[in-house]
Amino acid sequence: MKSFIKKNKKTVLFSIIILLFIAGLLDIKYEGLFFQLLPASIQSYLTDIL
């Protein structure tokens, strides 16, 4: 497993970044923990967008 990560470091890093981005969007869409930590003004703005 370590040799796979060493050989494909950029691909693994890109995959992790994409997964975190998708997780953030889903958190905002379904009003998860990160969304609840935001101030009310930002929450209302985001709910208007999505």
Side-chain angles (χ1 to χ4, degrees):
M1 186 70 175
K2 289 183 181 181
S3 63
F4 174 76
I5 293 174
K6 285 182 180 180
K7 289 180 183 177
N8 300 315
K9 200 172 215 175
K10 290 183 181 180
T11 305
V12 171
L13 183 62
F14 183 70
S15 299
I16 291 172
I17 290 171
I18 294 296
L19 285 173
L20 288 175
F21 181 74
I22 292 171
L25 288 177
L26 289 173
D27 183 73
I28 291 171
K29 181 175 181 178
Y30 294 109
E31 299 180 4
L33 179 63
F34 175 71
F35 181 83
Q36 292 175 5
L37 293 174
L38 295 172
S41 61
I42 296 175
Q43 286 181 1
S44 64
Y45 177 74
L46 289 173
T47 53
D48 290 341
I49 291 174
L50 299 174

